[in-house]
Amino acid sequence: VHHEVAFEALRRAVPRVPVLHIADATAAALSGKRRVALLGTAFTANENSFFAQRLRRRGLEVVLDEPAARAELDRLIYDELTVDVVREEAASWFVASGSRAAGRAPRRGRVTPTPPRHVPPQARLERLLVRCDAVVLGCTELSMLLDAEARKRYAGVVFDTATLHAEAAVRFALREE
């Protein structure tokens, strides 16, 4: 709620200054999609979040992951990704990737090796894509879990909000919108 209040207060205080909302930039990129999974912290990935509400206003059906998976993702974001730790086990839980299985490091972050464990046949992204047209990475740190191979494999179905927001800002600055 406080995010939306701040957004509207800024709009009213300085009406001539454009404000690019990250959820609006994301919704615009989801053109042609109907049902999208929203991933992020507990603040972002819940039924009443500012993000879910704005996506719904744009006609999208928002799907949330199972409660236990949302809690694990929230923990992973705050306890690991925000301090630049990307564990192989965490990345494998999030997305199945051949390059991860081969032991190559993700694109960013400090990789912390973990003992080998059973990796589920379907990681979180694959499970969500069975039910949805797209997955929204509603937390800027989540892209740290995707290596180059995963980025290619999920192009057009996994949407990184940080990238989309930055691209919208560049288009606006160049007056392409």
Side-chain angles (χ1 to χ4, degrees):
V1 172
H2 71 278
H3 188 277
E4 281 299 303
V5 171
F7 184 76
E8 291 307 318
L10 179 60
R11 271 209 157 134
R12 281 190 216 118
V14 197
R16 290 188 290 176
V17 174
V19 179
L20 298 171
H21 197 290
I22 193 167
D24 293 339
T26 301
L30 291 166
S31 177
K33 308 292 185 193
R34 281 184 330 103
R35 192 168 204 230
V36 299
L38 175 60
L39 299 178
T41 63
F43 175 75
T44 301
N46 71 72
E47 287 294 334
N48 299 314
S49 75
F50 71 94
F51 218 115
Q53 289 177 7
R54 284 187 93 92
L55 292 177
R56 283 190 196 103
R57 277 187 237 144
R58 299 285 292 263
L60 294 162
E61 179 185 351
V62 176
V63 174
L64 301 176
D65 205 348
E66 303 160 10
R70 290 195 320 243
E72 174 58 16
L73 195 56
D74 188 74
R75 185 207 62 75
L76 178 66
I77 291 165
Y78 284 119
D79 294 351
E80 298 179 26
L81 299 180
T82 59
V83 292
D84 205 28
V85 172
V86 179
R87 293 181 306 113
E88 289 292 329
E89 183 178 65
S92 294
W93 174 82
F94 188 68
V95 59
S97 171
S99 65
R100 291 206 192 292
R104 283 183 248 146
R107 191 175 66 86
R108 296 182 2 204
R110 184 183 66 208
V111 177
T112 305
T114 54
R117 279 193 183 177
H118 172 69
V119 175
Q122 283 189 317
R124 296 314 319 156
L125 285 184
E126 286 82 7
R127 290 180 190 195
L128 291 166
L129 286 169
V130 168
R131 302 177 359 216
C132 301
D133 301 323
V135 174
V136 173
L137 303 182
C139 174
T140 56
E141 289 84 5
L142 287 176
S143 65
M144 294 170 69
L145 296 171
L146 301 177
D147 61 12
E149 179 187 307
R151 289 172 193 275
K152 281 184 193 174
R153 185 169 64 238
Y154 296 115
V157 292
V158 172
F159 293 80
D160 176 9
T161 57
T163 300
L164 296 171
H165 202 202
E167 289 170 348
V170 168
R171 283 192 306 274
F172 180 82
L174 298 174
R175 301 292 192 248
E176 292 178 8
E177 286 193 2

